[in-house]
């Protein structure tokens, strides 16, 4: 859990100003929603925090350290994208284990962490399935588990439930809130839905 501070962060794409200079501090363990209409710069800001985009100006401070030049994989952040972007040829287990394997963790520890993450998102019995054999909601749960298993300090969520129906959105939103509270992860959640932001 880390504090995230943005200091005068701005972004221009040639003549388009995606983000006017913006400053914001998000406390350790806090969940903050970025709410605004399509095109207002929410995703750009999230990508800047995650390291997928470089700001035109300003600083991104994670626990006081400017990470503007640090690549995504070296930041203590993890991002859940709008589309689930799971690896289709890998099982659910393998998808979630992938990042831990890259880190060189022992097999037994990986198995334990993946099982815990699967249980947390309510998919304890789904490890052997392929993403193609899951519903949209289940796939998005796997995407969340894949992030959470890496134990990020800051979780970034870009309209993670945009492709799901209302009922499922409501449920998953509540589940994410529970997980976020339980783990105390500092979280930035992007949405264009006022109801979603408020709840
Ligand atoms: P939101 O997430 O709020 O819908 P975005 O952050 O995606 O908004 O976009 C903010 C603005 O920046 C929009 O005007 C968009 O067209 C522009 N933009 C986003 N990405 C790029 C890009 N790679 N190149 C040029 N313009 C972009």
């Amino acid at each position: 859990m880390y504090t995230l501070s943005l200091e005068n962060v701005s972004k221009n794409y040639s003549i388009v100003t995606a983000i006017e200079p913006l400053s914001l501090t998000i406390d350790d363990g806090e969940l903050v929603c970025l709410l605004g209409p399509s095109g207002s710069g929410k995703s750009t800001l999230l990508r800047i925090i995650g390291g997928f985009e470089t700001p035109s100006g300003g600083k991104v401070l994670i626990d006081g350290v400017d990470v503007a030049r640090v690549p995504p994989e070296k930041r203590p952040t993890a991002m859940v994208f709008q589309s689930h972007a799971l690896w289709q040829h890998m099982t659910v287990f393998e998808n979630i284990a992938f990042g831990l394997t890259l880190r060189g963790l022992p097999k037994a520890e990986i198995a334990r962490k993946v099982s815990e993450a699967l249980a947390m998102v309510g998919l304890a019995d789904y490890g052997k399935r392929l993403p193609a054999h899951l519903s949209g909601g289940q796939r998005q749960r796997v995407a969340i588990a894949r992030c959470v298993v890496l134990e990020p300090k800051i979780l970034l969520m870009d309209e993670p439930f945009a492709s799901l129906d209302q009922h499922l959105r409501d449920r998953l939103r509540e589940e994410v809130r529970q997980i976020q509270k339980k783990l105390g992860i500092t979280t930035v959640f992007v949405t264009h839905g006022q109801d979603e932001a408020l709840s």
Side-chain angles (χ1 to χ4, degrees):
M1 292 155 283
Y2 282 23
T3 301
L4 169 68
S5 280
L6 307 175
E7 285 183 5
N8 290 316
V9 168
S10 63
K11 180 69 182 176
N12 306 310
Y13 294 105
S14 59
I15 56 159
V16 178
T17 301
I19 304 174
E20 306 258 12
L22 178 147
S23 298
L24 173 73
T25 295
I26 299 175
D27 282 335
D28 199 4
E30 203 175 6
L31 183 149
V32 164
C33 273
L34 301 177
L35 171 67
S38 186
S40 57
K42 307 181 296 296
S43 291
T44 304
L45 188 63
L46 212 63
R47 291 204 304 272
I48 288 174
I49 299 169
F52 302 99
E53 202 75 74
T54 316
S56 306
K59 288 183 181 169
V60 176
L61 303 164
I62 297 180
D63 258 14
V65 178
D66 188 4
V67 294
R69 309 278 155 215
V70 177
E73 69 277 11
K74 298 247 166 78
R75 296 188 187 198
T77 53
M79 186 146 162
V80 180
F81 293 90
Q82 248 169 52
S83 60
H84 350 87
L86 298 178
W87 291 290
Q88 296 300 318
H89 62 290
M90 290 185 189
T91 63
V92 165
F93 182 97
E94 289 164 345
N95 262 281
I96 300 172
F98 189 75
L100 298 175
T101 308
L102 282 188
R103 289 183 182 175
L105 263 65
K107 267 191 174 165
E109 196 178 338
I110 293 177
R112 181 179 58 76
K113 283 181 184 269
V114 173
S115 297
E116 279 173 16
L118 277 171
M120 184 175 289
V121 297
L123 292 177
D125 300 328
Y126 288 74
K128 293 201 175 101
R129 292 229 195 159
L130 287 170
H133 300 153
L134 297 176
S135 69
Q138 289 169 336
R139 274 184 225 144
Q140 205 54 321
R141 283 199 175 97
V142 175
I144 292 166
R146 197 172 55 173
C147 277
V148 166
V149 82
L150 297 172
E151 297 170 14
K153 310 300 179 201
I154 297 171
L155 183 62
L156 306 169
M157 307 189 91
D158 189 1
E159 306 221 28
F161 313 134
S163 60
L164 306 176
D165 67 46
Q166 187 62 45
H167 176 67
L168 206 50
R169 287 170 79 111
D170 293 348
R171 241 179 65 194
L172 276 177
R173 192 194 296 147
E174 189 47 42
E175 285 176 18
V176 161
R177 187 68 172 131
Q178 295 303 331
I179 292 172
Q180 188 269 335
K181 271 190 186 157
K182 185 170 164 205
L183 302 180
I185 307 181
T186 308
T187 302
V188 189
F189 190 107
V190 159
T191 178
H192 64 268
Q194 193 168 328
D195 290 348
E196 185 154 85
L198 286 172
S199 72

